[in-house]
Amino acid sequence: MSAVVTDTDTPAPTAPASGLRPVRRRRVRPGKILLSGLGLLLALVWVFPVYWMMNSALTPDAILGADTPNFFPVHFTLTNLSSVLTDSGFLNALGMSVMVTFLTIALVLAFAFLAALAISRWRFRGRTSFILAVLFIQMLPAEGLFIAQYQMMSSLGLLNQVIGISVLYVAMLVPFTVWMLRGFVAGVPIELEEAAMVDGLSRPKAFIRITFPLLAPGLIASGVYAFLQAWNEFTTALVILPAESAQTLPIWLRSFLSASANRGINWAEVMAASTLIAVPVIIFFLFVQGRMTSGLVSGAVKG
């Protein structure tokens, strides 16, 4: 006789607890691990020069010039930073750079935003020619304009002046900033303003309350670009700011290096000066980076 199989011969599968799903283990792909490792390696290669600059700024020059490099500040010192801060020209150059940079940012964003708004939202005669002119200006080498810029600023009495170098920086940065902001403005649907106008808002109020907040990330990104260019620019400032009392930080760093070379280059102090110049850039980026990803258009219209 064949054996009779009952329900008790095979164990019944255990049902998961109510409301819980069995945990599925994700399979880690080797390609993903390889790409992650490659990205980490590239990040380390990019970060290492910045780290080495800061490490050198905190290391005595005698130890920095040794045959065996120290990758960690085991002989920590603030003497290099204090030597730079007590330099007579550093604070003057810092004030000059701050005034030039923030005046440049304000003017660049104002002009570029209005221009980007005009070429993105309105159709007018000469619009295509204007866009092509913006692209053409970007192709002009800056070195080819130095003589004309110097003569123009000299005839206007704007050499060694904040307004003079700021005007040149604005002319240099506005074309690319217009092109950058044009993409942000074109990415905001005009239907948002039209819907607000249907609800009773005027066109200016609809733009200020609806469209402008959505363009904030683009303005911040453009402001970061203008800040970096104006803060680090060297060649134009070297031509337009010949006086020692009107130097920006990059020009001051050059003169600081030249003065150090006369008595033997103190690389620890040079690295300390470079670190102090980079600190405002880091602080500015940390302040705005959280706002660069906010206010995106996605999700602005809810069905």
Side-chain angles (χ1 to χ4, degrees):
M1 294 178 62
S2 59
V4 177
V5 180
T6 61
D7 293 338
T8 58
D9 293 331
T10 56
T14 57
S18 177
L20 299 180
R21 295 182 179 179
V23 179
R24 295 183 179 179
R25 295 182 179 179
R26 289 187 176 182
R27 183 180 177 182
V28 180
R29 299 179 180 178
K32 188 174 183 180
I33 297 177
L34 180 61
L35 290 177
S36 300
L38 180 61
L40 181 61
L41 179 62
L42 292 176
L44 291 176
V45 172
W46 178 80
V47 169
F48 180 77
V50 180
Y51 169 77
W52 186 252
M53 177 185 67
M54 300 177 67
N55 178 52
S56 301
L58 301 175
T59 303
D61 185 64
I63 298 177
L64 186 63
D67 295 333
T68 303
N70 293 313
F71 292 95
F72 301 97
V74 291
H75 303 280
F76 183 86
T77 180
L78 296 176
T79 305
N80 303 319
L81 296 174
S82 62
S83 298
V84 175
L85 291 174
T86 55
D87 187 270
S88 59
F90 176 76
L91 294 180
N92 292 333
L94 177 62
M96 187 73 174
S97 289
V98 169
M99 290 187 292
V100 169
T101 299
F102 284 98
L103 180 60
T104 300
I105 291 175
L107 295 177
V108 165
L109 291 183
F111 292 139
F113 179 68
L114 294 177
L117 192 65
I119 63 178
S120 299
R121 292 296 176 87
W122 285 280
R123 299 294 182 266
F124 53 89
R125 182 177 298 178
R127 175 177 175 272
T128 303
S129 301
F130 178 78
I131 296 175
L132 293 177
V134 169
L135 295 177
F136 176 75
I137 292 174
Q138 291 295 304
M139 302 177 186
L140 297 177
E143 292 78 7
L145 303 175
F146 285 165
I147 297 177
Q149 290 173 345
Y150 182 86
Q151 291 180 343
M152 179 178 64
M153 292 295 108
S154 178
S155 62
L156 296 175
L158 295 179
L159 291 178
N160 302 311
Q161 300 294 326
V162 173
I163 186 64
I165 190 66
S166 298
V167 166
L168 295 181
Y169 283 174
V170 170
M172 177 178 64
L173 297 176
V174 159
F176 182 79
T177 310
V178 168
W179 194 255
M180 182 186 300
L181 284 175
R182 176 179 175 271
F184 284 98
V185 175
V188 178
I190 196 173
E191 288 78 11
L192 294 176
E193 293 182 33
E194 295 175 350
M197 293 171 62
V198 170
D199 291 338
L201 293 179
S202 61
R203 181 176 291 275
K205 289 184 178 181
F207 175 79
I208 293 174
R209 294 185 183 182
I210 305 299
T211 305
F212 188 78
L214 298 176
L215 295 176
L219 291 172
I220 293 175
S222 302
V224 171
Y225 166 77
F227 178 87
L228 294 176
Q229 295 297 319
W231 185 264
N232 297 320
E233 205 282 328
F234 177 80
T235 53
T236 303
L238 183 63
V239 174
I240 305 301
L241 304 175
E244 185 177 351
S245 59
Q247 293 178 341
T248 56
L249 283 174
I251 307 301
W252 169 84
L253 182 61
R254 171 179 172 271
S255 62
F256 182 78
L257 180 61
S258 300
S260 178
N262 294 331
R263 59 180 186 274
I265 298 179
N266 189 325
W267 287 111
E269 291 185 358
V270 172
M271 292 297 102
S274 302
T275 301
L276 291 175
I277 294 176
V279 164
V281 178
I282 297 174
I283 294 176
F284 180 78
F285 181 77
L286 291 177
F287 179 75
V288 302
Q289 61 91 20
R291 295 169 173 79
M292 292 181 65
T293 57
S294 62
L296 298 178
V297 178
S298 57
V301 181
K302 296 181 180 180

